[in-house]
Amino acid sequence: MREIVIVGGGYAGFYTAWGLEKKLRAGEARVTVVDPRPYMTYQPFLPEVTAGSVEARHAAVSLRRHLRRTRLIAGSVTEIRHADRRLTVRPVNGAGEHELRYDVLVVTAGAVTRTFPVPGLAQQAIGLKHVEEAVAIRDRLMTAFDQASSLPPGPERRKLLTVTFVGGGFSGVEGFGELLSLATAMLTSYPELSRDDLSFHLVEARGRILPEVGDEPGAWVVRSLERRGARVHLNTQLLSAADGHVVLSDGEEFDSSLLVWTAGNASNPVVHNHTDLPVDERGLLMVRPDLRVGTDSEPVPDVWAAGDDAAVPDLASPVPGAHTVPNAQHAVRQGRLLAKNIAAVLHGGRVRAYRHSSLGVVATLGLGRGIFQYKRIVIKGFPAWLMHRGYHVLAVPSWERKIRVLTVWLTAALFGRDLVSLAAVQHPRDAFVTNGDAQRAGESRTGSRTGA
């Protein structure tokens, strides 16, 4: 039996495995997915997770529930040696690394958050690529509201209610807009606080945000955010975040209790540095139009790739040498085509080249606010927000997830947002340990008095 190993269980990896389960004949091959997480994160929902509009678990699609005939290995691939047809896998439990043999390899490892050596960044910032991060951002904001409401006006309260996002791409702008919407809505439940207490900053190194849309729609988004009380710093870089004190290159400085870093993606280290497969100058795998790794003149046998770590030629673009942009729309469709092409090779059929014209781009900017662009067509405000929700509820895998998300949206429409913070879940043993220490201290004092 042939061994098909998929590195990464994100969009492209999940849809490749899902498709292979439907297309492979019984006993023809065994499919294995290696990923440290037991679920695929539906990243377009993460901004709404930060705002509480989508439950965290509903943005996570269980691999075991949907990939019933696929072997799942909880771990990370640390090295790819195609010359030997072997991978090195590090289990998530920290046990010793082991090797995994394959006949066919699919690399869909996904990108990682790109960071820079900014003082204080590693100690203060949170990313927005995983469900855990989105939940932590929401809980930190809610905890800050609880703490600030018991403080008098002043620097400490101001710092608690100051939020800084670095990165003006889709992830950053959507997360920023949704969190601003949540914070504004929460003011009605905190009469001690006012709109003037909130301070939201979006920092972008380029001269515009949302590069996927045109200049005018991008400028409209900036104006929309500023009308809601936010500050958008264009052509600005974060110079320092040490001890929560933010220093920007435009000369502005302020204290911020919540710093979210969404300043782009970097190639996965295993692809960039630990493989003998061909990569380009950006550290991305060189991929042919049919998603096989290599070039037209030098294909690499039995290796396929898709998603954020693959330089896939964009055949629908009029620009020569263009590659598909790293987004969910392409990753999902590339994963589906990967399954068809791998099955076609195994069955002696023909493979197809990947060609997909964009369906447009749509972004949420907070509850009831959004923007959509398809070529020269631009839709703003509430209609665009409805389009965003409609598109993504159709795109999220499985009817089970669609129904769960729709149920949460309906409940929120009827009863409003759920404003409960569960920040303590990040340190679940604190209460148990504290109570135990207090009990032992009490027993010690009692014993001392009795002995006296």
Side-chain angles (χ1 to χ4, degrees):
M1 184 185 300
R2 296 174 68 84
E3 294 282 347
I4 302 175
V5 176
I6 301 173
V7 180
Y11 294 117
F14 173 83
Y15 277 94
T16 300
W18 209 16
L20 286 173
E21 285 194 349
K22 302 170 185 176
K23 298 183 179 301
L24 294 180
R25 301 162 185 161
E28 184 174 22
R30 179 171 67 171
V31 179
T32 298
V33 172
V34 183
D35 195 281
R37 288 179 169 80
Y39 55 82
M40 181 202 80
T41 301
Y42 190 74
Q43 291 184 346
F45 278 158
L46 292 187
E48 294 199 63
V49 172
T50 67
S53 301
V54 171
E55 289 291 334
R57 286 184 175 86
H58 298 169
V61 180
S62 170
L63 297 181
R64 290 195 178 275
R65 177 165 186 158
H66 298 286
L67 303 180
R68 299 183 181 274
R69 292 185 287 115
T70 297
R71 180 174 61 153
L72 300 175
I73 296 179
S76 300
V77 172
T78 59
E79 187 179 10
I80 299 173
R81 300 188 307 279
H82 185 61
D84 303 324
R85 302 285 177 115
R86 294 185 183 276
L87 307 171
T88 301
V89 178
R90 179 187 297 135
V92 294
N93 61 8
E97 295 183 344
H98 64 272
E99 291 190 339
L100 186 65
R101 189 191 67 80
Y102 64 84
D103 296 301
V104 177
L105 178 65
V106 179
V107 183
T108 55
V112 297
T113 301
R114 180 182 59 185
T115 59
F116 299 98
V118 176
L121 180 66
Q123 294 75 29
Q124 301 292 329
I126 304 177
L128 189 52
K129 287 186 71 67
H130 304 291
V131 173
E132 302 92 332
E133 294 171 325
V135 172
I137 291 169
R138 178 174 182 264
D139 286 344
R140 284 199 186 186
L141 179 69
M142 290 185 170
T143 300
F145 264 72
D146 288 332
Q147 295 172 349
S149 64
S150 63
L151 295 174
E156 192 172 353
R157 176 196 272 192
R158 186 73 172 176
K159 178 178 180 179
L160 284 169
L161 298 180
T162 297
V163 175
T164 306
F165 272 65
V166 181
F170 256 75
S171 179
V173 171
E174 288 191 314
F176 184 79
E178 286 286 348
L179 207 64
L180 176 60
S181 179
L182 172 63
T184 304
M186 288 175 63
L187 289 174
T188 60
S189 300
Y190 290 84
E192 307 91 343
L193 305 175
S194 70
R195 182 65 189 82
D196 292 337
D197 291 315
L198 297 181
S199 183
F200 272 66
H201 298 262
L202 176 62
V203 181
E204 169 54 44
R206 293 167 293 189
R208 52 161 301 175
I209 61 174
L210 294 179
E212 295 86 350
V213 304
D215 290 342
E216 196 283 326
W220 177 86
V221 173
V222 171
R223 294 193 299 270
S224 174
L225 292 173
E226 290 180 338
R227 283 195 298 267
R228 295 161 61 188
R231 288 284 308 280
V232 179
H233 304 262
L234 299 178
N235 295 311
T236 304
Q237 295 178 332
L238 175 68
L239 300 182
S240 176
D243 299 321
H245 183 70
V246 173
V247 180
L248 303 180
S249 62
D250 63 1
E252 191 160 349
E253 299 184 24
F254 50 86
D255 291 331
S256 178
S257 66
L258 180 56
L259 175 62
V260 182
W261 181 269
T262 62
N265 296 324
S267 177
N268 194 294
V270 70
V271 172
H272 196 187
N273 302 316
H274 303 289
T275 179
D276 56 358
L277 297 173
V279 297
D280 65 12
E281 66 281 358
R282 296 172 297 167
L284 303 178
L285 287 170
M286 299 175 66
V287 177
R288 293 156 39 119
D290 60 9
L291 304 180
R292 284 188 274 206
V293 171
T295 63
D296 290 336
S297 59
E298 297 183 33
V300 179
D302 299 321
V303 186
W304 308 75
D308 292 353
D309 273 324
V312 180
D314 189 352
L315 301 183
S317 172
V319 180
H323 295 93
T324 58
V325 296
N327 61 23
Q329 192 177 132
H330 283 298
V332 169
R333 288 163 175 77
Q334 289 169 7
R336 289 172 174 160
L337 180 62
L338 263 179
K340 295 177 183 177
N341 281 353
I342 293 172
V345 170
L346 294 178
H347 301 156
R350 296 178 57 187
V351 298
R352 293 168 43 208
Y354 178 75
R355 178 189 291 269
H356 172 67
S357 298
S358 174
L359 300 176
V361 292
V362 62
T364 175
L365 304 174
L367 192 62
R369 300 176 175 91
I371 187 165
F372 167 83
Q373 181 175 10
Y374 175 69
K375 297 182 179 179
R376 295 186 178 181
I377 301 173
V378 178
I379 300 175
K380 307 170 184 175
F382 186 74
W385 176 77
L386 284 179
M387 295 172 68
H388 176 274
R389 286 204 162 184
Y391 173 79
H392 286 299
V393 79
L394 291 174
V396 68
S398 84
W399 280 103
E400 170 257 340
R401 274 294 179 268
K402 300 180 198 297
I403 293 171
R404 288 184 187 274
V405 171
L406 284 171
T407 301
V408 172
W409 284 343
L410 178 61
T411 303
L414 293 174
F415 302 107
R417 299 173 187 265
D418 189 341
L419 301 182
V420 177
S421 169
L422 296 177
V425 77
Q426 297 171 41
H427 306 281
R429 296 188 66 252
D430 285 358
F432 176 79
V433 172
T434 301
N435 290 337
D437 291 343
Q439 181 177 349
R440 286 190 291 273
E443 291 172 350
S444 176
R445 288 195 296 271
T446 302
S448 298
R449 289 196 297 270
T450 303

